[in-house]
Amino acid sequence: MTIVPLPTTEPADATPAAAADPRLPAAGRRRRTWRPRTWRRRWLGLLAGAYLLVLTVACVGASWWAPADPEFQDLAHPLAGPSSAHWLGTDRLGRDVLSRLLYGGQVTLIAVVEAVTVFAVLGITFGVLAGYFGGWLDRSVGWVADLLLALPGIIVLLMVLSVFPGNSTATMIVLGVISCPLLLRVTRGLTSSVRREPYVQAARLSGLGSAQVMRRHVLPRLVGPIIVQLSLFAATAVLVQAALSFLGLARPESEGPSWGNMVGAAAEVTSEAPWLAVPTGGILALTVLALGLFGDALRDARVDRIQPAFAPRRRRVTRPADPTPPSADTGLLSVSGLTVAFDLPRGRATAVRDVSFEVAAGEIVGIVGESGSGKTVTARSLLGLLPPTGQVVAGSAVFDGTELTGLGERELARVRGGRIALVSQEPLSGLDPVFRVGSQLAEVVRRHQRVGRAAARARAVELLRTVQIAEPERVARLYPYALSGGMAQRVSIALALAGDPALLIADEPTTALDVTVQAEILALLRELRDRRGMAIVFVTHDWGVLADVCDRALVMYAGEIVEQAAVEDLYRSPRHPYTRSLLAANPHRAAVADTLPTIPGSVPSPAEWAVGCRFRPRCDLAADECAAGPIPLVPVGAGHRARCIRHEQVVDR
Amino acid sequence: MIRSALRWLLSSVALLFVVTALTFVLVSLAPGDAARAILSSQSSTYTQEQYAAMRHALGIDQPLPVQYGHWLNDLVHGSLGTDLFSGQSVAETLRDRIGPSLSIILGTVVLSGLVGTWLGVVSARRGGLPGRIVDVVSLVGFAVPNFWLALLLVELLAIRLAWFPTGGYVPLTQDPAGWLRAIVLPVVTLSAAGVAFVAKQTRDAMSEALSAEYVTMLRARGLPERAIVYKHALRNAAIPVVTLLGLLLISLLSGAVVIESFFSVPGLGAQAVEASGTHNLPVITGVAFCFTVVVVVANLLVDLSYRWLNPRVRAR
């Protein structure tokens, strides 16, 4: 028996689902995902609700539709199996099992109502008050709640029963009292978070009284979670009542049938009549199951479930129909025709289409674009680090003679960290919070080099020194939470360097940092390139940063490269209207007190991508032929390409 | 560190006070009292003088706070009051019963912890069929009443197949093999709910850990999948799961009471059920005291392991 109902996870506050796929096209991320699993759960929930309703009606009206008097003893037919006269058979005194179950259900029903009422009244009242008023009230309520949760529940119930022998009501009331902290915690947390919301604070400031705020703003938000908790607690109450009745402590058989004492009676005759244990225990299990499923379905109806992280998904790369043979004269990395798609509930969405570029050894190539342009997806797909729903559907990426697309996890693990390393946008969340900086570094060092523990430790400290961390020995002993953002980014660069990679993918490495730290990190990256000859693919949305570190850059828009050139050429003579508008909108270039020019409209989501030019709706040079068909990326100068059929006009403006 | 130790001590003492004081309050609410219970168990009639004498002998003619003071005084001297029926000290009655209870409870914690963690990790990683199996296991473990499960297991494994005894207990020191055979069925029965609980919590925590950014970054650094899952993600997932193990233990105590009675294991729980039937309050108070001590110790262990797992809290 579970006196303490299993706490349920409430994914309402934290939604890691969105974090799981960092750069899903905006449309895919916002939409609620109805997967088959969810549908099945909803069906189960409906079924469970229907079962509970039928059961309640059947038990309440037992005196009308029970086929026999529950106490009538058909002594000629004891322990009979199911028959047309007795649908569920008879017990050892020949009493009809079905009728006894229906009447016994009334005991369960009353017990549930008693326990749930006490549970609800206490849990809601004290939870809302504590969450709303906070302060000493919150602290003392919390203290009492902790105390109640630590009570050995059944012993308290046994004490109650030894004082009030056989009194089911007293037990259920006490059960409600000692369990109420479970509900109280939920209502308290929600109330205090609702109370802190700006619109509620505004309502309070405008003079709405506490009682009204609670009634209008707080309580409506609590209804869903409360029902979930009530349904789970009802399951507990059913089990507790049955167990006590089974032990003969509450509602013994002499007082009439109950589900618990019927299992007890069946236990005495299992060898002669094993059947008897089936309907008696079965109805209990079914009812508890139904309450559990019902609660689960209600919760699912409110929030999307946490998506399970199917870690190493099977790689289903469709090789391009006409794979470009890796040519020997290309640089370190050669990407051609790379296309990445995400499997969304509404079908497959292409997030990145036909991306081709090259990176030479020691070169820093920027990928620039707005959020949702596909730059991060492009970068991460090279390492096979797409979210579970994403995959490379066409194209190739040859790194130093190795085709990266279609590599298995095992081969990828050899490339990752050792040949190609990644530095991410959020340095702190990229570090495992429970291991020391030094041990995380040493682990990566040992993965890529055959060295002993002590040597790996020494190398870890040396790496920290390489990324210009003062007191590297001390920092190696720190846990990630103790690092500042800039320090954490240096540490993650050190982690990236641990395998001595030939290529570093820096995914917005300075976005989360403040300006001075940003400049230091950029200087560090440049220095690393100069000293080690390490190539860098630098993903950013910041033109200032781009100009600062990159040799060449790709401009991405709506999943396509729209322009690529040396950074200087891009700045001096952009040949795509999008690049030109972006440069105009760049705050680094705008004069003080000028209104910042913006590009009208927004980046289209994959569902809205046109066949022709994807920038057309926002372009001031748009013409009819722009919509006619796919626009090719054409050479417009030395090492300069643009995806615009009117690129000559761009220069003139 | 000292502050949190003090806080633990304070709340533990408070908990012990509340539980034991609660018993005394409940006694005072009772319609009958122990004196009447004893007298009527000895003979059907008794005089008012006998009744008063018995009340005085039991010390229950004094005001409640005084009685509680006496009980606390007894406690300090290592006694838990007197068993109303056997007349021996409650501590004496309970001493031999701690072993069987602990065997079952610890056995269940170990079994649920291992199997539940394994199931949870597998289903968090794979989704699909293993995920569904964990779904079903946790639903069934949650829904099936343990006394019914015990009934089915005994019928099948003890009566039909005769692999295990139908009940009873053999001390570990006397016969280790017999001890193991005796606790298998109670432990397996109780573990159904435990496994379900641990598997579900582990699965949720693991799913969250595996979708964290640092896991992607660990992959990006080329670490082997095994190290990512079992060293990094599991260590992080353990933090929320460990805090819930305290709750699991408390609910196991409750389950153990029913299961001990069912399998006639001479443990604390079975004793409490028996005492509850005979209004033997000092014994129930004694069991409540023992269980509360178990809860207090378990909370301490949970707190310590939480600290050990979570560097942020450790630093404080």
Side-chain angles (χ1 to χ4, degrees):
Chain A
M1 160 175 45
T2 318
I3 290 274
V4 177
L6 311 180
T8 52
T9 36
E10 280 285 336
D13 309 317
T15 39
D21 21 18
R23 289 300 147 89
L24 256 183
R29 224 181 332 172
R30 291 209 193 97
R31 213 164 280 143
R32 287 169 74 96
T33 46
W34 292 114
R35 281 161 303 126
R37 189 183 153 86
T38 321
W39 274 112
R40 197 168 54 235
R41 283 180 158 263
R42 298 189 111 202
W43 264 108
L44 275 175
L46 275 179
L47 204 66
Y51 166 84
L52 291 172
L53 192 68
V54 169
L55 187 74
T56 309
V57 171
C59 292
V60 167
S63 49
W64 286 296
W65 34 70
D69 181 328
E71 299 299 338
F72 175 74
Q73 303 182 355
D74 182 0
L75 289 171
H77 302 99
L79 299 178
S83 66
S84 58
H86 302 287
W87 289 3
L88 295 178
T90 59
D91 69 1
R92 66 182 190 286
L93 294 174
R95 295 175 295 196
D96 183 58
V97 170
L98 177 60
S99 307
R100 288 179 70 76
L101 281 179
L102 290 181
Y103 277 94
Q106 296 178 346
V107 176
T108 302
L109 200 66
I110 292 169
V112 167
V113 170
E114 288 163 348
V116 168
T117 307
V118 173
F119 177 79
V121 168
L122 292 180
I124 296 170
T125 313
F126 286 105
V128 170
L129 288 179
Y132 192 85
F133 292 107
W136 64 268
L137 182 69
D138 187 27
R139 278 194 297 278
S140 32
V141 166
W143 192 78
V144 173
D146 282 349
L147 205 73
L148 285 177
L149 272 187
L151 286 181
I154 191 138
I155 293 295
V156 177
L157 296 183
L158 289 177
M159 291 194 303
V160 170
L161 280 169
S162 64
V163 174
F164 305 103
N167 191 329
S168 180
T169 303
T171 357
M172 288 298 123
I173 290 173
V174 171
L175 178 67
V177 173
I178 60 178
S179 310
C180 79
L182 294 165
L183 177 62
L184 193 151
R185 285 180 168 186
V186 174
T187 50
R188 183 200 157 274
L190 280 171
T191 305
S192 79
S193 75
V194 171
R195 188 182 176 272
R196 277 196 300 268
E197 276 182 26
Y199 76 94
V200 176
Q201 297 208 321
R204 278 158 51 86
L205 282 177
S206 68
L208 206 62
S210 292
Q212 279 165 305
V213 171
M214 281 192 212
R215 206 185 59 237
R216 279 201 217 157
H217 297 292
V218 178
L219 288 179
R221 287 276 289 275
L222 296 182
V223 171
I226 286 175
I227 294 178
V228 172
Q229 294 297 320
L230 291 189
S231 129
L232 293 175
F233 176 68
T236 306
V238 169
L239 283 177
V240 170
Q241 202 285 327
L244 292 174
S245 189
F246 172 81
L247 292 174
L249 294 173
R251 181 91 176 180
E253 208 186 335
S254 55
E255 289 176 21
S258 81
W259 293 351
N261 68 34
M262 288 178 73
V263 177
E268 288 162 23
V269 292
T270 35
S271 303
E272 308 127 72
W275 157 254
L276 203 52
V278 176
T280 50
I283 196 166
L284 264 172
L286 265 183
T287 306
V288 175
L289 189 67
L291 284 166
L293 284 173
F294 189 62
D296 268 2
L298 283 177
R299 184 175 50 226
D300 288 351
R302 288 193 307 117
V303 285
D304 290 345
R305 286 190 52 80
I306 299 176
Q307 282 197 347
F310 304 99
R313 93 206 121 80
R314 256 167 265 125
R315 312 190 62 78
R316 299 157 295 176
V317 178
T318 340
R319 285 308 189 88
D322 178 23
T324 329
S327 44
D329 59 322
T330 53
L332 186 64
L333 173 73
S334 167
V335 177
S336 68
L338 188 76
T339 301
V340 180
F342 286 87
D343 287 319
L344 299 178
R346 294 271 175 96
R348 178 173 281 191
T350 308
V352 165
R353 195 185 71 84
D354 195 20
V355 165
S356 307
F357 63 94
E358 282 174 18
V359 180
E363 192 184 21
I364 305 187
V365 175
I367 303 183
V368 65
E370 293 170 82
S371 339
S373 62
K375 53 191 193 303
T376 293
V377 170
T378 304
R380 294 209 167 187
S381 69
L382 297 177
L383 281 171
L385 289 174
L386 293 171
T389 50
Q391 55 180 311
V392 174
V393 290
S396 88
V398 179
F399 173 80
D400 203 11
T402 313
E403 173 61 60
L404 295 177
T405 61
L407 280 189
E409 275 302 310
R410 201 172 282 262
E411 292 98 4
L412 267 174
R414 267 198 285 274
V415 176
R416 289 174 183 160
R419 308 302 326 276
I420 307 179
L422 176 70
V423 173
S424 84
Q425 180 174 5
E426 285 163 40
L428 266 177
S429 54
L431 298 173
D432 185 335
V434 303
F435 289 95
R436 290 176 202 272
V437 165
S439 101
Q440 295 194 45
L441 270 164
E443 188 183 10
V444 181
V445 168
R446 294 195 68 189
R447 167 77 182 100
H448 296 290
Q449 290 156 25
R450 300 198 166 277
V451 291
R453 273 173 204 283
R457 290 257 155 204
R459 174 97 178 101
V461 172
E462 193 189 312
L463 281 165
L464 289 176
R465 197 168 286 128
T466 309
V467 294
Q468 294 157 12
I469 282 179
E471 304 181 81
E473 286 91 357
R474 189 182 65 86
V475 172
R477 283 192 302 272
L478 293 180
Y479 285 97
Y481 75 88
L483 302 175
S484 67
M487 278 245 266
Q489 194 55 290
R490 285 174 194 274
V491 168
S492 64
I493 293 173
L495 280 161
L497 296 180
D500 204 7
L503 173 67
L504 178 70
I505 296 176
D507 185 1
E508 307 225 22
T510 57
T511 306
L513 307 175
D514 62 49
V515 181
T516 39
V517 183
Q518 191 171 331
E520 288 168 20
I521 296 287
L522 293 179
L524 172 65
L525 286 174
R526 259 196 318 261
E527 194 203 312
L528 288 172
R529 187 269 299 263
D530 294 344
R531 238 188 9 216
R532 303 182 161 222
M534 183 175 70
I536 302 179
V537 170
F538 198 100
V539 177
T540 183
H541 64 265
D542 186 332
W543 284 87
V545 169
L546 189 81
D548 212 2
V549 287
C550 296
D551 305 319
R552 281 190 309 119
L554 327 171
V555 182
M556 289 193 70
Y557 183 79
E560 288 179 331
I561 294 181
V562 291
E563 185 164 5
Q564 64 184 90
V567 168
E568 231 170 281
D569 291 341
L570 271 186
Y571 264 82
R572 241 191 340 232
S573 55
R575 300 297 291 272
H576 192 285
Y578 175 63
T579 316
R580 196 193 52 195
S581 328
L582 268 187
L583 282 168
N586 175 17
H588 295 279
R589 281 187 148 198
V592 183
D594 258 2
T595 326
L596 199 57
T598 51
I599 311 176
S602 59
V603 185
S605 68
E608 300 156 352
W609 288 351
V611 185
C613 176
R614 292 172 179 179
F615 187 62
R616 200 176 72 91
R618 302 169 76 185
C619 180
D620 53 2
L621 292 176
D624 287 345
E625 65 261 38
C626 296
I631 314 290
L633 193 62
V634 292
V636 293
H640 196 156
R641 290 155 158 270
R643 195 184 293 276
C644 180
I645 44 180
R646 310 193 66 190
H647 58 84
E648 273 144 28
Q649 278 95 317
V650 181
V651 187
D652 301 338
R653 302 286 288 266
Chain B
M1 195 65 215
I2 293 172
R3 261 190 67 179
S4 45
L6 274 178
R7 198 179 320 135
W8 171 78
L9 202 67
L10 199 70
S11 62
S12 307
V13 171
L15 187 66
L16 285 170
F17 267 110
V18 167
V19 171
T20 49
L22 195 68
T23 347
F24 277 81
V25 174
L26 279 170
V27 174
S28 73
L29 291 176
D33 66 21
R36 225 179 281 280
I38 293 177
L39 286 171
S40 51
S41 75
Q42 286 164 356
S43 67
S44 52
T45 54
Y46 51 89
T47 63
Q48 204 58 38
E49 285 77 47
Q50 277 176 309
Y51 174 62
M54 182 57 90
R55 274 176 67 86
H56 186 70
L58 293 171
I60 55 177
D61 55 340
Q62 287 168 307
L64 206 60
V66 176
Q67 288 184 41
Y68 188 52
H70 280 307
W71 190 85
L72 286 180
N73 189 40
D74 280 356
L75 180 66
V76 174
H77 294 97
S79 157
L80 291 168
T82 312
D83 185 330
L84 289 185
F85 293 94
S86 68
Q88 63 178 350
S89 113
V90 171
E92 201 100 326
T93 313
L94 298 184
R95 194 187 305 134
D96 299 337
R97 296 186 164 252
I98 293 173
S101 289
L102 277 187
S103 303
I104 291 178
I105 289 165
L106 292 182
T108 308
V109 168
V110 170
L111 188 66
S112 329
L114 292 179
V115 178
T117 306
W118 177 72
L119 273 177
V121 170
V122 167
S123 78
R125 289 188 63 197
R126 302 269 163 76
L129 187 67
R132 241 165 284 150
I133 289 174
V134 170
D135 272 346
V136 171
V137 165
S138 43
L139 269 175
V140 168
F142 171 68
V144 170
N146 54 19
F147 50 92
W148 189 51
L149 181 63
L151 179 65
L152 303 181
L153 287 178
V154 164
E155 179 61 26
L156 187 70
L157 301 180
I159 296 176
R160 304 244 159 132
L161 297 172
W163 289 351
F164 304 103
T166 53
Y169 178 75
V170 183
L172 174 64
T173 46
Q174 213 175 72
D175 171 11
W179 171 80
L180 195 64
R181 271 164 49 90
I183 69 164
V184 163
L185 286 185
V187 165
V188 168
T189 310
L190 269 180
S191 295
V195 166
F197 177 77
V198 175
K200 186 162 169 19
Q201 301 302 331
T202 307
R203 200 244 304 245
D204 288 353
M206 272 304 269
S207 297
E208 198 170 331
L210 282 173
S211 56
E213 172 72 3
Y214 67 83
V215 166
T216 310
M217 291 310 291
L218 290 170
R219 284 208 183 98
R221 291 174 202 133
L223 293 184
E225 195 61 24
R226 205 168 355 109
I228 294 174
V229 172
Y230 290 98
K231 182 174 169 189
H232 293 276
L234 190 58
R235 175 82 184 264
N236 277 278
I239 295 173
V241 173
V242 157
T243 58
L244 292 168
L245 283 184
L247 275 183
L248 173 69
L249 191 103
I250 296 174
S251 74
L252 281 183
L253 288 178
S254 304
V257 169
V258 180
I259 290 309
E260 282 177 13
S261 304
F262 186 93
F263 286 100
S264 336
V265 175
L268 290 170
Q271 176 78 74
V273 170
E274 199 188 306
S276 174
T278 54
H279 308 247
N280 199 341
L281 269 162
V283 171
I284 297 194
T285 315
V287 175
F289 179 78
C290 290
F291 274 24
T292 313
V293 169
V294 172
V295 170
V296 163
V297 171
N299 281 347
L300 178 67
L301 291 178
V302 164
D303 198 54
L304 288 178
S305 42
Y306 184 70
R307 251 156 223 292
W308 178 71
L309 285 168
N310 195 341
R312 240 191 151 125
V313 183
R314 203 184 318 163
R316 258 183 235 138

